[in-house]
Amino acid sequence: MSNAELNKLKQKYVANGAASPATAFADHAENAEVWDADGNRFIDFAGGIGVLNIGHRHPKVVAAVKAQLDKVMHTCQTVMPYEGYVRVAERLSHLVPVRGHAKVMLANSGAEALENAVKIARAATGRSNVICFDGGYHGRTFFTMAMNGKVAPYQTDFGPMPGTVFRAPYPVDYHGVSEDEAIRGLMMTLKTDAGPANTAAIVLEPVLGEGGFYPAPASFLEKIRIICDELGILMIIDEVQSGFGRTGKMFAIEHSGVEPDIMTMAKSMADGMPISAVVGTDKIMDASGPNSLGGTYTGSPTACAAALAVMDVFEEENILERSQALGEKLAKRFHQWQARYDAVDNVRHMGAMAAFELVSDKHAKTPNAELAGALCKKAREEGLILLSCGMHGNTIRFLMPITIEDDVLNEGLDIIESCLEALTD
Ligand SMILES: Cc1ncc(COP(=O)(O)O)c(C=O)c1O
């Protein structure tokens, strides 16, 4: 079927809220390239929103999934467990820097991991409240919607939100929120709203993902660790977008040396197979009763096979070093653009988790979301899939496969440069 035919079907049968505005339908893909239903080629700088850190259809992952399909596709692990689930748990337990011996539960999506992390924190502390941050993003289920630090489009049509979620400022110096102010805001939220004795967890991304690719300073994360310890609150780190090598370490929190109590992960964990994980200190993870966590599909055999293959690829193919090198290359090019174009500012990167901002006034740092939208649209017309993000909608973020070939990378960056040339004075 052609793009045009598929678009007609989409309009007729796919619910408005779930229908992508994009009009090219993916047909097949390889590493950092995708071809649509009409045979057009796209360079992929989005990676399915951070899911494809080791590229589309990595051969080792495809082989592992195919081998699993020939053995068993589903039993429901609570009905009859299988080796893949416990092997993923074993490997994550050794990989994830939470405090002490770690235990694991698997789920299907990032939002589901966050839901379960909060359930576990409530069971472990006997408290109900949760503190999240401005600009944070945790998913689209009811509780995670309430946790998101941005209303539109996630919450707009769906209120009222569940209670017991409170908000604090995230430190983004460029937009006027210093680390000290963020800590003061958190202490105020604890005092005036959440109440230390009622607060189960403080949940945050070590680098804001949807909120704009702003890394939290290590000292901010250290202070949160101390506050949590002093008040008996659990520290939950959400690595759904920043995890699995994006920042040049397996998990972004490792840059700070801080050990959280619980960590959530998903996205690049299985190269596109749906799986997520909650990993936490054993005592905390064991707090809820038998059969209190799970779901029909959680940690499916095929997704576990993919996750194990992804972890092998990280060990065998220097993905972390390549993430650091990719980040350096991106930042070098962005700094050239920053020097050349009035609209490009605030270049930042932690490994390959790289971004820049588009502004209408560099001095006043005025966000230009309109230009960000126009850049992504024009790039798509030129054959490049590019994403914006951010509290102000003006950040261009980069989530291409870390395994992208140099010539494909440079071709994509050249497209951005020609679009910037055309769209700015
Ligand atoms: C940091 C973070 N947490 C949670 C989620 C939700 O994940 P999912 O879309 O798989 O539910 C996302 C998705 O973008 C995310 O970036």
Side-chain angles (χ1 to χ4, degrees), residues 350-390:
M350 186 182 258
M353 195 155 184
F356 61 79
E357 250 163 279
L358 291 168
V359 293
S360 51
D361 179 340
K362 247 184 209 181
H363 185 69
K365 302 172 179 167
T366 317
N368 191 344
E370 210 174 294
L371 181 58
L375 178 61
C376 292
K377 183 168 179 286
K378 191 159 176 53
R380 186 73 74 113
E381 287 161 9
E382 304 296 325
L384 174 71
I385 303 172
L386 188 65
L387 292 177
S388 63
C389 68

Coordinates of all heavy atoms in Angstrom, one line a residue, residues 350-390:
M350 N 25.5 15.4 27.1 CA 26.1 14.4 28.0 C 26.2 13.2 27.2 O 25.2 12.6 26.8 CB 25.1 14.2 29.2 CG 25.8 13.4 30.3 SD 24.6 13.1 31.7 CE 25.3 14.3 32.9
G351 N 27.4 12.8 26.7 CA 27.5 11.8 25.7 C 26.7 12.2 24.5 O 26.8 13.3 24.1
A352 N 26.0 11.2 24.0 CA 25.2 11.5 22.7 C 23.8 12.0 23.0 O 23.0 12.1 22.1 CB 25.1 10.2 21.9
M353 N 23.6 12.3 24.3 CA 22.3 13.0 24.6 C 22.5 14.5 24.4 O 22.8 15.2 25.3 CB 21.8 12.7 26.1 CG 20.4 13.0 26.3 SD 19.7 12.0 27.7 CE 18.0 12.5 27.6
A354 N 22.3 14.9 23.2 CA 22.8 16.2 22.7 C 21.6 17.1 22.3 O 20.6 16.5 21.7 CB 23.8 16.1 21.6
A355 N 21.8 18.4 22.4 CA 20.7 19.3 22.0 C 21.2 20.7 21.8 O 22.3 21.0 22.3 CB 19.6 19.3 23.1
F356 N 20.4 21.5 21.1 CA 20.6 23.0 21.2 C 19.2 23.6 21.2 O 18.2 23.0 21.0 CB 21.5 23.4 20.0 CG 20.9 23.2 18.6 CD1 19.9 24.0 18.1 CD2 21.4 22.1 17.9 CE1 19.4 23.7 16.8 CE2 20.9 21.9 16.6 CZ 19.9 22.7 16.1
E357 N 19.2 24.9 21.5 CA 18.0 25.6 21.6 C 17.8 26.6 20.4 O 18.9 27.2 20.0 CB 17.9 26.4 22.9 CG 16.9 25.7 23.8 CD 17.0 26.1 25.3 OE1 17.8 25.4 25.9 OE2 16.2 26.9 25.7
L358 N 16.6 26.9 20.0 CA 16.4 27.9 19.0 C 15.7 29.1 19.7 O 14.7 28.9 20.5 CB 15.5 27.4 17.9 CG 16.2 26.4 17.0 CD1 15.3 25.6 16.1 CD2 17.3 27.0 16.2
V359 N 16.3 30.3 19.5 CA 15.8 31.5 20.2 C 15.6 32.6 19.2 O 16.2 32.7 18.2 CB 16.8 31.9 21.3 CG1 16.9 30.9 22.4 CG2 18.2 32.2 20.7
S360 N 14.7 33.5 19.6 CA 14.5 34.7 18.8 C 15.3 35.9 19.2 O 15.5 36.8 18.5 CB 13.0 35.1 18.7 OG 12.5 35.2 20.1
D361 N 15.9 35.8 20.4 CA 16.8 36.8 20.9 C 17.8 36.1 21.9 O 17.5 35.7 23.0 CB 16.0 37.9 21.7 CG 16.8 39.0 22.3 OD1 18.0 38.8 22.5 OD2 16.2 40.0 22.6
K362 N 19.1 36.0 21.4 CA 20.1 35.3 22.2 C 20.3 35.9 23.5 O 20.5 35.2 24.5 CB 21.4 35.3 21.4 CG 21.8 33.9 20.9 CD 23.1 33.8 20.2 CE 23.0 32.7 19.2 NZ 24.3 32.5 18.4
H363 N 20.3 37.3 23.6 CA 20.6 38.0 24.8 C 19.5 37.7 25.8 O 19.8 37.3 27.0 CB 20.7 39.5 24.5 CG 21.1 40.2 25.7 ND1 22.4 40.1 26.3 CD2 20.5 41.1 26.5 CE1 22.5 40.9 27.4 NE2 21.3 41.5 27.5
A364 N 18.3 37.8 25.4 CA 17.1 37.6 26.3 C 16.8 36.1 26.4 O 15.9 35.7 27.3 CB 15.9 38.3 25.9
K365 N 17.4 35.2 25.6 CA 17.2 33.8 25.6 C 15.7 33.5 25.4 O 15.1 32.6 26.1 CB 17.7 33.2 26.9 CG 19.1 33.4 27.2 CD 19.5 33.0 28.6 CE 21.0 33.2 28.8 NZ 21.4 33.1 30.2
T366 N 15.1 34.2 24.4 CA 13.7 34.0 24.2 C 13.4 32.8 23.3 O 13.9 32.7 22.2 CB 13.1 35.2 23.4 OG1 13.7 36.4 24.0 CG2 11.6 35.3 23.5
P367 N 12.7 31.8 23.9 CA 12.5 30.5 23.1 C 11.7 30.8 21.8 O 10.8 31.6 21.8 CB 11.7 29.7 24.1 CG 11.9 30.2 25.4 CD 12.1 31.7 25.2
N368 N 12.1 30.1 20.7 CA 11.5 30.2 19.5 C 10.9 28.8 19.0 O 11.6 28.1 18.2 CB 12.4 30.8 18.4 CG 11.7 31.2 17.1 OD1 10.6 30.8 16.9 ND2 12.4 32.0 16.3
A369 N 9.8 28.5 19.6 CA 9.2 27.1 19.3 C 8.7 27.0 17.9 O 8.8 26.0 17.3 CB 8.0 26.9 20.3
E370 N 8.3 28.2 17.3 CA 7.9 28.2 15.9 C 9.0 27.8 15.0 O 8.8 26.9 14.1 CB 7.4 29.6 15.6 CG 6.3 29.7 14.6 CD 5.9 31.2 14.5 OE1 5.3 31.7 15.4 OE2 6.1 31.7 13.4
L371 N 10.2 28.3 15.2 CA 11.3 27.9 14.4 C 11.7 26.5 14.6 O 12.0 25.8 13.6 CB 12.5 28.8 14.7 CG 13.8 28.6 13.9 CD1 13.5 28.8 12.4 CD2 14.9 29.6 14.3
A372 N 11.6 26.0 15.8 CA 11.9 24.5 16.1 C 10.9 23.7 15.3 O 11.4 22.7 14.6 CB 11.8 24.2 17.5
G373 N 9.7 24.0 15.3 CA 8.7 23.3 14.5 C 8.9 23.3 13.0 O 8.9 22.3 12.3
A374 N 9.3 24.5 12.5 CA 9.6 24.7 11.1 C 10.8 23.9 10.7 O 10.9 23.3 9.6 CB 9.8 26.2 10.8
L375 N 11.8 23.9 11.6 CA 13.1 23.1 11.3 C 12.8 21.6 11.1 O 13.2 21.0 10.2 CB 14.1 23.4 12.3 CG 15.5 22.7 12.2 CD1 16.2 23.0 10.9 CD2 16.4 22.9 13.3
C376 N 12.0 21.1 12.1 CA 11.7 19.7 12.0 C 10.9 19.3 10.8 O 11.1 18.3 10.2 CB 11.0 19.2 13.3 SG 12.0 19.3 14.8
K377 N 9.9 20.2 10.5 CA 9.1 20.0 9.3 C 9.9 20.0 8.0 O 9.8 19.1 7.2 CB 8.0 21.1 9.3 CG 7.0 21.0 8.1 CD 5.8 21.9 8.4 CE 4.8 21.8 7.3 NZ 5.2 22.5 6.1
K378 N 10.8 21.0 7.9 CA 11.6 21.1 6.7 C 12.6 20.0 6.6 O 12.8 19.4 5.5 CB 12.3 22.5 6.6 CG 12.9 22.8 5.3 CD 13.2 24.3 5.1 CE 13.9 24.5 3.8 NZ 13.3 23.9 2.6
A379 N 13.2 19.6 7.7 CA 14.1 18.5 7.7 C 13.4 17.2 7.2 O 14.0 16.5 6.4 CB 14.7 18.3 9.1
R380 N 12.2 17.0 7.6 CA 11.4 15.8 7.2 C 11.2 15.9 5.7 O 11.3 14.8 5.0 CB 10.1 15.8 8.0 CG 9.2 14.5 7.8 CD 9.8 13.3 8.4 NE 9.6 13.3 9.9 CZ 8.8 12.5 10.5 NH1 8.2 11.5 9.9 NH2 8.7 12.5 11.9
E381 N 10.9 17.1 5.2 CA 10.7 17.2 3.7 C 12.0 16.9 3.0 O 11.9 16.4 1.8 CB 10.2 18.6 3.4 CG 8.8 18.9 3.8 CD 8.5 20.4 3.9 OE1 9.3 21.2 3.5 OE2 7.4 20.7 4.4
E382 N 13.1 17.1 3.6 CA 14.4 16.9 3.0 C 15.0 15.5 3.3 O 16.1 15.1 3.0 CB 15.5 17.9 3.5 CG 15.1 19.4 3.3 CD 15.0 19.7 1.8 OE1 15.7 19.2 1.0 OE2 14.1 20.6 1.5
G383 N 14.1 14.6 4.0 CA 14.5 13.2 4.2 C 15.3 13.0 5.5 O 16.0 12.0 5.7
L384 N 15.0 13.8 6.5 CA 15.6 13.6 7.9 C 14.6 13.7 8.9 O 13.8 14.6 9.0 CB 16.7 14.8 8.1 CG 17.3 14.8 9.6 CD1 18.2 13.6 9.7 CD2 18.0 16.1 9.9
I385 N 14.5 12.6 9.8 CA 13.6 12.6 10.9 C 14.3 13.3 12.1 O 15.3 12.8 12.6 CB 13.2 11.2 11.2 CG1 12.6 10.5 10.0 CG2 12.2 11.2 12.4 CD1 12.3 9.0 10.2
L386 N 13.7 14.4 12.5 CA 14.3 15.2 13.6 C 13.2 15.5 14.6 O 12.1 15.7 14.2 CB 14.8 16.5 12.9 CG 15.6 17.4 13.8 CD1 17.0 16.8 14.2 CD2 16.0 18.7 13.0
L387 N 13.6 15.6 15.9 CA 12.6 15.9 16.9 C 12.9 17.1 17.7 O 14.1 17.4 18.0 CB 12.6 14.7 18.0 CG 12.1 13.3 17.5 CD1 12.3 12.4 18.7 CD2 10.7 13.4 17.1
S388 N 11.9 17.8 18.1 CA 12.1 18.9 19.1 C 11.6 18.4 20.4 O 11.0 17.3 20.5 CB 11.3 20.2 18.6 OG 9.9 19.9 18.6
C389 N 11.8 19.2 21.5 CA 11.2 18.9 22.8 C 11.4 20.1 23.7 O 11.8 21.2 23.2 CB 12.0 17.7 23.4 SG 13.7 18.0 23.9
G390 N 11.0 19.9 24.9 CA 11.3 21.0 25.9 C 10.1 21.7 26.4 O 9.0 21.8 25.8

